[in-house]
Amino acid sequence: MSDPVPLKTDGSGQVASATPPARGRSRLSDRGLAVVFTSPALLLLLAMSVFPLLWTLYLSFTDYSATRGGPAEFVGFGNYTAILTSPQVHQRTLTTLIFVVGAVALQTVLGFTIAYLISRRTRGRGVLTTLFLVPMMLSPVVVGLFWRFMLDAQFGVVNSMLGSLGLGQVEWLTRQRTALLSLIVVDTWQWTPFIMLIALAGLTAVPKYLYEAASIDRASEWFRFRTITLPLVWPLLLIAVLFRAIEAFRQFDLVYILTSGGPGVSTETLSFHVYKVAFLGFNTGTASAYGILMVLVVIVLTQFYLRYLNKLKED
């Protein structure tokens, strides 16, 4: 048995509390604790993001195939040269460009118009906003299957409505002229609420005293919109356009569900073409080069876009 801890008495003879034994100091500093707690997240980020990107960059310089045994053979910039000089790639790029410009432009106009109309209401604004946000909450696969049945040439609801109005049936997903338009319409239906939500946030943040001053000066509604509303909301709207353009550029879900790139290759975007090269043709090296080129295109265009936004902010 250990010896009892000696007790101390004060001047009045009462027993004072025992002195606790001194504890050792922690060997880890604040920086060490920060490293310990953030290391798992950093390692996971490296394993899930950085390493696949570096591995893809390496494979883009080889003729590696996932189904072929043996080591990958280094081919240099052969994959990049073949991609940049391929007429098929030029056609897919044009298809992707038409889809991105058409979908984003339509979503921007509709989203801002809906947000402007909702912002002018005093009653039911929350209910209307929630109803318009429902398409954005759905999975792209669910949206694709839903519209695939809606646009069916024989049993679709859209053609049934056209038939009841005395109009002919339209082969929405099986004709080259209407298939890409159908993709743009479906993507617009789902992602217009995203533009609307950001535009509505910008509209509600416009100071009220500016409109009050314009009312005192008897400014017209168009003058208020052109000189107050649009200039203040425009930078925020451009940020929404940037995010939507990036998402539309790598669109895959709707193309896969609705048309699978058909009829022919009329709706085959770059993302879907990369899927075919990688998982149907098993040309892993070429598909990796496609991925790296798409990343570089997004980075370069985003930098120019951000410079424009910064210049607009300074002005």
Side-chain angles (χ1 to χ4, degrees):
M1 176 179 288
S2 60
D3 297 335
V5 179
L7 300 178
K8 296 182 180 180
T9 58
D10 53 10
S12 60
Q14 296 180 354
V15 179
S17 60
T19 304
R23 298 181 179 178
R25 295 182 177 179
S26 176
R27 296 181 179 179
L28 292 177
S29 62
D30 292 340
R31 178 176 294 182
L33 288 175
V35 171
V36 169
F37 284 110
T38 58
S39 294
L42 292 177
L43 292 176
L44 182 62
L45 178 63
L46 291 175
M48 301 298 294
S49 300
V50 179
F51 174 74
L53 181 60
L54 296 178
W55 183 248
T56 302
L57 180 61
Y58 164 72
L59 292 180
S60 66
F61 295 101
T62 65
D63 65 342
Y64 177 74
S65 176
T67 59
R68 186 182 62 209
E73 182 180 354
F74 185 78
V75 295
F77 290 93
N79 292 329
Y80 293 95
T81 303
I83 291 173
L84 295 176
T85 57
S86 174
Q88 296 180 355
V89 176
H90 298 164
Q91 182 180 359
R92 272 68 170 184
T93 304
L94 180 60
T95 302
T96 305
L97 183 63
I98 295 174
F99 174 77
V100 172
V101 173
V104 175
L106 191 58
Q107 292 165 25
T108 303
V109 173
L110 292 178
F112 182 77
T113 302
I114 295 173
Y116 183 74
L117 295 177
I118 292 178
S119 64
R120 296 174 61 87
R121 292 182 58 90
T122 56
R123 296 182 180 180
R125 180 185 301 180
V127 176
L128 287 175
T129 304
T130 304
L131 291 177
F132 277 111
L133 289 178
V134 170
M136 191 178 67
M137 301 176 186
L138 300 177
S139 170
V141 177
V142 175
V143 173
L145 292 174
F146 171 75
W147 278 96
R148 184 175 179 179
F149 289 112
M150 290 272 292
L151 298 175
D152 187 81
Q154 296 181 354
F155 309 104
V157 177
V158 176
N159 277 343
S160 297
M161 295 177 60
L162 293 178
S164 63
L165 296 175
L167 302 176
Q169 295 184 348
V170 180
E171 297 179 359
W172 297 102
L173 302 177
T174 56
R175 294 185 59 183
Q176 294 184 357
R177 294 182 179 180
T178 57
L180 187 59
L181 178 62
S182 300
L183 282 176
I184 294 175
V185 170
V186 174
D187 190 76
T188 300
W189 180 83
Q190 183 178 15
W191 292 110
T192 295
F194 176 78
I195 304 290
M196 181 208 72
L197 187 63
I198 296 182
L200 187 61
L203 290 170
T204 55
V206 176
K208 301 298 182 182
Y209 67 85
L210 297 178
Y211 294 112
E212 295 175 357
S215 300
I216 295 175
D217 293 338
R218 295 183 179 181
S220 63
E221 191 69 26
W222 169 247
F223 182 83
R224 299 179 193 176
F225 176 81
R226 182 171 55 87
T227 59
I228 299 177
T229 304
L230 191 59
L232 294 179
V233 181
W234 185 246
L236 193 61
L237 196 62
L238 289 179
I239 296 177
V241 170
L242 174 63
F243 284 115
R244 277 304 308 140
I246 295 175
E247 289 292 329
F249 179 73
R250 61 186 188 91
Q251 180 64 258
F252 172 79
D253 310 78
L254 291 180
V255 179
Y256 181 79
I257 297 298
L258 287 175
T259 63
S260 296
V265 293
S266 59
T267 59
E268 187 173 311
T269 59
L270 285 175
S271 296
F272 190 80
H273 182 64
V274 174
Y275 160 78
K276 290 177 62 176
V277 172
F279 298 103
L280 299 181
F282 297 104
N283 296 321
T284 310
T286 305
S288 300
Y290 270 110
I292 295 298
L293 286 175
M294 292 179 66
V295 170
L296 291 177
V297 168
V298 171
I299 291 176
V300 171
L301 294 180
T302 301
Q303 290 299 319
F304 283 109
Y305 198 85
L306 291 178
R307 288 184 180 181
Y308 171 72
L309 288 178
N310 292 330
K311 183 178 179 181
L312 186 65
K313 182 179 179 181
E314 293 175 357
D315 295 339

